[in-house]
Amino acid sequence: MKEITIVEFTSNLGLKEPQTGKEPGVNRLPDWLWKHNLHKAITPKNIVRLDPPRYSNIKDSQTTILNADSLVTYAREQAYLINNLISANKFPFVLGGDCSILLGTAMALKQKGNYGLFYLDGHTDFMDVSLSETGGTGGMIASIVTGNGHEKLTNILNLSPYIKEENLWCVGNREYDDEYENEIRKSSAVYLSLKELRKQGIKNSVQSFLLEVESKKLDGFWLHIDVDVLNDSVMPCVDSRTPDGLTYDEFNELTSYLFQSQKLSGLEIAILDPDLDETGEYTKEFVANITSTFNQNFNN
């Protein structure tokens, strides 16, 4: 079994301000998860933290993206850290942060070889900047890491695409809007909305992904978990709430199959905002579910 390193990426650079003058609180998620005993339950060999540059709510004039230059600087540092961990045969268990934390990790994966991405999220995050009202990278990061968008972000260190578009599986979206969904539909990525995931069945869907990883002889795959993939009734403390979502039974079944795979190279958890869970009740339930499922299934 690979040694686990918890990596704390305390970044909110990919989100807009929830209100004027207030930063998104998701940068405090690693400390919040520590408070609710995630680190203790996972029992990592090491814990490392990388703090981002200062947050700004001003859009970059070149890309119309928030914090574009800071994201590039941070991604280079992230890539160096993740690359070193994978090279040392460690398992990065990454705690965000918002979804833009994927940028540096995806760069590291490209540096190491040819990897798949299982993008488990209540949204596709496969949106062109022209459709974004906020300029937040979090809402378009799956598109960016597969080489779509301004090269300031898509081609750092001349690595574009970090993940081949056909090696992206985008799973769990429930924002059912043709204009929004058409971006991923017209790509070469595999797209399974929440409806389609349930229609095909969780086990069948994940097995199809894992078979593809093997048949393509990929070097491994990365698991992205945006907690807003969960049902709004059990995870309302996110920046973009949507009705429905995976129950914990569904979530635990799905992740259990992925955790068992020897091809799983690392994972990240994003978007849970401590400011939106003042009592910690939703965080406690999340920690209990994900740590139990991970510990029971990781590389087993």
Side-chain angles (χ1 to χ4, degrees):
M1 182 186 295
K2 293 180 181 178
E3 288 183 355
I4 298 166
T5 296
I6 286 183
V7 180
E8 300 177 339
F9 287 152
T10 56
S11 176
N12 57 7
L13 297 175
L15 296 180
K16 68 172 184 177
E17 291 179 340
Q19 58 194 65
T20 303
K22 178 180 170 57
E23 286 188 30
V26 73
N27 60 327
R28 298 192 297 106
L29 178 56
D31 290 340
W32 186 242
L33 292 173
W34 172 283
K35 179 179 178 180
H36 293 284
N37 298 314
L38 181 140
H39 299 61
K40 183 178 180 181
I42 295 298
T43 61
K45 186 73 173 180
N46 292 296
I47 302 170
V48 295
R49 175 178 290 222
L50 182 64
D51 292 324
R54 185 182 298 274
Y55 177 87
S56 169
N57 201 50
I58 300 172
K59 291 183 180 180
D60 174 58
S61 59
Q62 190 178 12
T63 63
T64 70
I65 287 174
L66 293 173
N67 298 296
D69 291 330
S70 293
L71 283 162
V72 172
T73 299
Y74 192 51
R76 287 169 177 258
E77 296 173 351
Q78 291 175 287
Y80 181 79
L81 194 162
I82 296 296
N83 189 323
N84 284 341
L85 288 174
I86 293 175
S87 296
N89 201 34
K90 311 294 187 187
F91 184 89
F93 193 111
V94 178
L95 309 177
D98 69 73
C99 295
S100 70
I101 60 169
L102 178 60
L103 185 57
T105 294
M107 289 170 57
L109 295 175
K110 177 62 177 285
Q111 290 170 324
K112 296 303 299 176
N114 187 21
Y115 285 78
L117 173 60
F118 195 96
Y119 200 86
L120 186 60
D121 198 302
H123 305 85
T124 66
D125 291 350
F126 201 92
M127 181 168 54
D128 185 80
V129 67
S130 64
L131 295 176
S132 174
E133 296 179 1
T134 68
T137 314
M140 50 185 117
I141 193 64
S143 182
I144 288 171
V145 300
T146 51
N148 302 287
H150 197 285
E151 66 174 8
K152 177 183 276 192
L153 293 175
T154 63
N155 196 29
I156 304 168
L157 302 179
N158 294 315
L159 290 171
S160 182
Y162 314 130
I163 303 289
K164 291 180 180 177
E165 200 173 78
E166 62 267 25
N167 293 338
L168 165 66
W169 277 54
C170 183
V171 181
N173 174 65
R174 59 185 190 275
E175 187 171 325
Y176 304 120
D177 174 85
D178 279 338
E179 184 181 24
Y180 180 71
E181 291 177 280
N182 282 343
E183 292 293 308
I184 188 93
R185 287 171 179 159
K186 70 185 183 185
S187 76
S188 56
V190 176
Y191 170 49
L192 293 179
S193 67
L194 180 61
K195 287 178 183 176
E196 191 62 28
L197 174 66
R198 285 172 170 161
K199 180 180 177 182
Q200 292 190 18
I202 288 173
K203 187 173 185 179
N204 288 339
S205 299
V206 177
Q207 284 182 338
S208 294
F209 168 74
L210 294 175
L211 283 171
E212 188 170 293
V213 170
E214 293 293 341
S215 66
K216 289 183 174 180
K217 295 181 168 54
L218 299 182
D219 293 300
F221 72 92
W222 188 265
L223 172 59
H224 167 90
I225 301 172
D226 182 332
V227 299
D228 73 12
V229 77
L230 288 163
N231 195 286
D232 186 66
S233 64
V234 299
M235 184 52 67
C237 35
V238 298
D239 66 300
S240 185
R241 295 177 64 179
T242 314
D244 201 7
L246 293 175
T247 65
Y248 271 120
D249 284 345
E250 292 173 317
F251 177 77
N252 293 338
E253 180 189 359
L254 190 156
T255 54
S256 71
Y257 303 136
L258 296 172
F259 294 157
Q260 289 168 23
S261 173
Q262 297 295 320
K263 286 288 190 177
L264 178 63
S265 302
L267 66 86
E268 64 193 20
I269 298 168
I271 290 298
L272 199 167
D273 189 336
D275 290 346
L276 304 177
D277 186 20
E278 292 183 359
T279 66
E281 62 176 306
Y282 300 107
T283 303
K284 288 175 188 174
E285 188 176 15
F286 174 73
V287 168
N289 278 276
I290 194 150
T291 58
S292 174
T293 305
F294 182 80
N295 288 336
Q296 289 173 29
N297 292 281
F298 179 56
N299 282 179
N300 288 337

